[in-house]
């Protein structure tokens, strides 16, 4: 944990306390904490800074991510926010009410060709020997593969139609990084499943990791599923 992560967490928690709310904080940095006589019915899952390495290097691609849920599992998230701090852009979603970029409704792309699609792929791993064979087929078909280094924001780029899919099958990304992003991309008409096309339902816990494919539409999702080995 870097000082900037802790400072961001403190700022988020202090702001929430100021509003006199009770909740269980689930933070990437400090784990579980009851705030304000916490009711078991409100969970606030936070990644104070997603993309810390970018931030420290002065690369303007990092975010704060906050998800609110009624239970301690990722499927129960009903409100999400990802703040692209360097660009003063905020992505939000409320279950059943759509996804928004600075208050304006957003939608995923309609791109169906892997020749044209921009596909985000997190290969940031120490286990290349395990992960590279799983995505070798994708490297052969997708012409424009990217990784910018802040997965919460990259999922919002799918939601906003800037990229057409984002894949992380390293079994390394934590629920705290993706809880808000998943709701945002789904509310923008995107699709999120595991690499074997199952719904994702894991406990919200900073220690819990997961694999996922987030796509702009069903057609591109099916093509990616056929090229990625679970
Ligand atoms: C990191 C980013 C990065 C991913 C790492 C994550 P953090 O989040 O999302 O893109 O490759 O696995 O840990 O650590 O900066 O919150
Ligand atoms: Ca973080």
């Amino acid at each position: 944990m870097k000082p900037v992560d802790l400072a961001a967490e403190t700022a988020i928690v202090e702001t929430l306390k100021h509003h006199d709310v009770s909740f269980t904080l689930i933070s990437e940095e400090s784990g579980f904490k009851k705030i304000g006589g916490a009711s078991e019915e409100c969970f606030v899952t936070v990644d104070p800074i997603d993309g810390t390495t970018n931030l420290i290097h002065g690369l303007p691609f990092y975010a704060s991510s906050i998800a609110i849920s009624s239970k301690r599992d990722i499927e129960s998230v009903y409100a999400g926010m990802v703040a692209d701090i360097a660009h003063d852009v905020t992505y939000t979603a409320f279950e059943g009410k759509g996804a928004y970029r600075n208050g304006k409704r957003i939608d995923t792309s309609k791109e169906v060709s892997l020749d044209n699609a921009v596909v985000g792929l997190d290969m940031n791993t120490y286990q290349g020997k395990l992960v590279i064979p799983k995505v070798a087929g994708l490297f052969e078909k997708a012409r424009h593969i990217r990784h910018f280094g802040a997965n919460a924001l990259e999922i919002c780029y799918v939601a906003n139609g800037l990229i057409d899919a984002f894949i992380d099958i390293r079994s390394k990304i934590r629920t705290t990084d993706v809880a808000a992003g998943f709701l945002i991309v789904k509310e923008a008409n995107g699709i999120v499943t595991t690499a074997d096309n199952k719904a994702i339902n894991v406990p919200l816990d900073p220690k819990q990791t997961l694999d996922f494919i987030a796509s702009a539409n069903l057609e591109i999702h099916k093509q990616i599923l056929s090229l990625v080995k679970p």
Side-chain angles (χ1 to χ4, degrees):
M1 187 198 314
K2 302 280 193 257
V4 70
D5 296 307
L6 201 58
E9 183 185 277
T10 305
I12 291 168
V13 172
E14 288 308 313
T15 303
L16 289 170
K17 275 186 184 166
H18 197 69
H19 289 277
D20 197 23
V21 282
S22 282
F23 58 93
T24 301
L25 177 75
I26 307 171
S27 172
E28 185 167 296
E29 304 308 337
S30 53
F32 294 93
K33 255 189 202 167
K34 295 207 169 200
I35 310 276
S39 127
E40 280 307 316
E41 265 116 60
C42 184
F43 296 88
V44 179
T45 300
V46 172
D47 183 2
I49 301 290
D50 179 49
T52 302
T53 305
N54 282 351
L55 172 54
I56 288 171
H57 283 247
L59 290 165
F61 196 86
Y62 49 88
S64 288
S65 171
I66 304 178
I68 302 177
S69 59
S70 50
K71 295 191 198 133
R72 207 171 63 76
D73 59 66
I74 206 159
E75 276 198 334
S76 304
V77 171
Y78 63 83
M81 183 224 66
V82 173
D84 173 355
I85 302 160
H87 301 103
D88 203 15
V89 168
T90 306
Y91 296 92
T92 51
F94 202 89
E95 192 179 20
K97 299 268 190 322
Y100 296 81
R101 178 191 186 274
N102 284 351
K104 269 184 92 177
R105 190 100 183 221
I106 53 173
D107 201 349
T108 53
S109 88
K110 306 283 175 278
E111 183 59 65
V112 295
S113 160
L114 281 175
D115 275 345
N116 302 326
V118 176
V119 177
L121 175 66
D122 193 336
M123 288 300 292
N124 188 8
T125 174
Y126 300 106
Q127 297 196 305
K129 279 193 188 131
L130 285 179
V131 178
I132 291 165
K134 294 184 179 184
V135 291
L138 187 71
F139 274 108
E140 294 195 2
K141 294 277 181 201
R143 293 182 55 204
H144 310 286
I145 292 185
R146 304 281 187 275
H147 180 223
F148 303 126
N151 293 13
L153 202 46
E154 283 161 284
I155 297 167
C156 291
Y157 271 30
V158 179
N160 196 19
L162 293 171
I163 64 175
D164 305 293
F166 186 76
I167 301 158
D168 187 346
I169 54 156
R170 302 167 300 150
S171 304
K172 205 174 163 195
I173 200 73
R174 291 155 294 197
T175 50
T176 43
D177 296 72
V178 297
F182 280 4
L183 180 70
I184 292 168
V185 71
K186 285 192 262 182
E187 286 293 325
N189 299 314
I191 294 156
V192 184
T193 70
T194 60
D196 51 0
N197 202 19
K198 299 218 167 65
I200 297 177
N201 196 14
V202 290
L204 288 165
D205 183 326
K207 294 202 172 75
Q208 174 76 47
T209 57
L210 69 151
D211 288 344
F212 72 91
I213 299 174
S215 307
N217 58 67
L218 192 56
E219 182 51 42
I220 205 100
H221 196 67
K222 279 196 223 155
Q223 291 178 55
I224 292 171
L225 285 171
S226 73
L227 295 168
V228 171
K229 292 186 192 150

